[in-house]
Amino acid sequence: MRPFLLTLLLLTLAILPLRVQAAPLVRSAPTVTRNEVHVDFPNSVTFHLELADPSAISRAVLVYSTRRFACLDVAGRVPIELSGNSLEWQWVMTRSGNPPPGAELWWQWELTLADGQTFTTPRQTMIISDDRFNWRVVSEAGIHLHWYAGEDVGPILLAAAVAGRQTLEEEMGIALQADVRFYIYGSSQEMRRAVLYIQDWAGGVAFSEYNVILIGVPPRSVADWGTRTVRHELAHLALAQFGQSCVGGRRPTWLEEGVAMVAEGAPSNRVRTDLQTAVHNDAFMPLRSLVGAFPAHDAAASLAYSQSYSVVNFLLAAYGREALQALILRLAAGEGDDEALTAVYGFNMDGLESSWRASLGLPPRQIPPTPTPLTAALIPTIAPSGLPQSVPTPPAAAALPPEVPVATPAICGLGLIPLILLAGASKRKTKSTRQPV
Ligand SMILES: [Zn+2]
């Protein structure tokens, strides 16, 4: 019996390939002996596929992308020439910009045979990581915080993020749409090396499409600057998701930064001082001048943030969180600032400014018949060491590769008020923006 069964089995195995050959329309998929990706963060990702028998392959296409929360997600498709029995392609991120650590990469290969049949390998995924550091991670309430410098940095900043999330949800009704990952670098410089083409003054970056936030927080700055910045950046990310617009809608900067400043918690000494001084001297800036980028000058930038905080705080106190949510959603739907404000509150930006000023005991500002928005300079920014301020921002330079759209990070310069740290630096370039404190 046994020899008989063995013979039968061998015969079956021997015949099997013949059957496949005899039925050309039912070819089996090419045998893949290796399907790997190697990440050299943040410079490149190399895809490698090896086949047992490449002779029947007439065309191969690599399809890849990163998982994002975007209005339009287009995967890269790259035709690759066979070399021996392998296919290899390198995504050079030094040309395209790079996704942040924590982003999920997926890929698959489409292999077409000479007879036209196409086989697609199963979609593979991997989380891109920044292996230059030994990360530790703590998690709570949908927030995962990765850090490597300083013993208590992780738990302290996680607690701040959780508190910030609570403020956003309870005071403003702005909830996170998914889990968020923070990567806390030991310094702004180390953080900037994780993002190609980032402004050299950036202290933090929120990649809302990936639910990832990068911030450079020196352990000595954790208690004040670090905790405020974590809450501030989390607010930008949550706001970007809650108010996501696929029709070109945008938020005025005073609203964007005001929400982030409120999310930081109780106003800092700097904010209180700015407001007291401005009320005393009647020195606030016209609200319409805070629609675009904030002033670059340090003191003016600080006042812009503090004023934004005061205006949003006024809207929340006087009209509640539902109205604020409605405003954000109308702006996301593409309505203009005046149109959305009027629909929700019954006044436009000039009316808002007058009501807010009245709440502070100030007379209405003399508003010219034709509102003339002031031009804004780019935002300054700074590195850590002081107070945080932050600015929203349009897509920074870091982003889209020709092949795969990577990201449109919002850079908040975690600036600190003492610009000193930025050392002579300063190239504030681009249209981006930001800042923080
Ligand atoms: Zn900001």
Side-chain angles (χ1 to χ4, degrees):
M1 281 302 271
R2 284 188 174 176
F4 171 72
L5 285 177
L6 181 61
T7 305
L8 189 60
L9 179 62
L10 291 174
L11 278 174
T12 305
L13 291 175
I15 290 171
L16 207 52
L18 295 179
R19 278 191 178 169
V20 171
Q21 287 175 2
L25 296 181
V26 220
R27 274 183 191 273
S28 55
T31 302
V32 172
T33 54
R34 185 179 161 208
N35 185 356
E36 297 174 351
V37 160
H38 173 72
V39 178
D40 174 19
F41 190 86
N43 304 307
S44 66
V45 172
T46 304
F47 300 85
H48 194 100
L49 187 76
E50 221 167 72
L51 300 165
D53 176 14
S55 60
I57 308 295
S58 66
R59 173 180 161 83
V61 175
L62 167 66
V63 185
Y64 73 98
S65 189
T66 47
R67 189 159 168 257
R68 305 186 303 152
F69 295 84
C71 298
L72 179 64
D73 201 0
V74 182
R77 294 181 56 85
V78 192
I80 310 290
E81 292 292 324
L82 258 168
S83 173
N85 65 339
S86 65
L87 293 153
E88 186 172 288
W89 192 73
Q90 190 173 57
W91 173 14
V92 182
M93 300 191 291
T94 46
R95 288 203 295 261
S96 66
N98 65 291
E104 183 182 299
L105 172 73
W106 65 261
W107 74 96
Q108 57 195 33
W109 293 85
E110 291 177 1
L111 303 171
T112 303
L113 308 187
D115 64 7
Q117 289 186 81
T118 296
F119 295 92
T120 303
T121 61
R123 178 179 287 206
Q124 309 246 81
T125 62
M126 75 174 294
I127 299 295
I128 291 178
S129 60
D130 184 351
D131 293 331
R132 298 170 305 159
F133 303 101
N134 294 317
W135 298 95
R136 300 165 68 183
V137 59
V138 283
S139 302
E140 184 181 341
I143 296 171
H144 310 282
L145 191 139
H146 305 247
W147 90 103
Y148 59 83
E151 195 58 30
D152 301 330
V153 168
I156 291 173
L157 295 183
L158 177 65
V162 171
R165 173 174 191 165
Q166 197 170 358
T167 298
L168 284 163
E169 292 181 354
E170 294 179 0
E171 295 185 18
M172 293 177 262
I174 298 173
L176 292 173
Q177 314 285 306
D179 283 15
V180 173
R181 294 184 184 281
F182 278 91
Y183 287 84
I184 305 297
Y185 287 81
S187 70
S188 313
Q189 292 78 9
E190 289 179 345
M191 184 278 290
R192 289 195 287 265
R193 283 187 210 114
V195 186
L196 299 170
Y197 310 126
I198 191 171
Q199 290 82 348
D200 58 11
W201 40 255
V205 190
F207 289 82
S208 60
E209 292 180 332
Y210 293 99
N211 275 349
V212 170
I213 294 172
L214 312 186
I215 309 176
V217 182
R220 68 177 183 284
S221 304
V222 166
D224 185 27
W225 188 83
T227 55
R228 284 190 173 278
T229 303
V230 160
R231 297 178 63 151
H232 186 107
E233 296 298 330
L234 182 64
H236 280 312
L237 186 145
L239 192 50
Q241 295 182 347
F242 179 81
Q244 184 184 34
S245 176
C246 294
V247 295
R250 41 163 296 287
R251 288 176 291 278
T253 306
W254 61 262
L255 175 59
E256 178 79 27
E257 291 306 326
V259 166
M261 295 293 283
V262 169
E264 288 183 17
S268 65
N269 291 335
R270 174 76 180 230
V271 170
R272 282 197 289 267
T273 302
D274 281 346
L275 296 178
Q276 287 167 3
T277 304
V279 167
H280 184 265
N281 300 329
D282 193 359
F284 285 111
M285 293 174 258
L287 191 55
R288 288 188 187 277
S289 73
L290 300 181
V291 165
F294 279 3
H297 183 268
D298 193 29
S302 178
L303 177 57
Y305 283 99
S306 300
Q307 183 173 338
S308 298
Y309 163 82
S310 182
V311 172
V312 171
N313 205 39
F314 163 74
L315 283 177
L316 281 168
Y319 302 94
R321 63 179 203 174
E322 285 74 19
L324 184 72
Q325 294 164 29
L327 173 65
I328 294 167
L329 295 177
R330 280 182 172 274
L331 292 168
E335 289 187 13
D337 296 348
D338 287 324
E339 183 184 6
L341 279 166
T342 303
V344 176
Y345 298 99
F347 48 58
N348 66 7
M349 212 179 308
D350 302 322
L352 165 59
E353 183 168 20
S354 294
S355 298
W356 160 71
R357 286 174 62 90
S359 75
L360 298 175
L362 294 173
R365 187 174 61 79
Q366 292 307 309
I367 298 171
T370 303
T372 336
L374 307 190
T375 321
L378 294 188
I379 301 196
T381 299
I382 327 166
S385 104
L387 319 178
Q389 333 163 310
S390 213
V391 180
T393 300
L400 325 182
E403 306 89 356
V404 174
V406 174
T408 50
I411 297 180
C412 239
L414 321 166
L416 304 177
I417 296 211
L419 293 181
I420 323 174
L421 303 186
L422 277 197
S426 27
K427 322 175 155 183
R428 323 183 155 187
K429 18 187 184 177
T430 331
K431 38 195 171 188
S432 42
T433 7
R434 88 79 90 336
Q435 245 47 311
V437 176

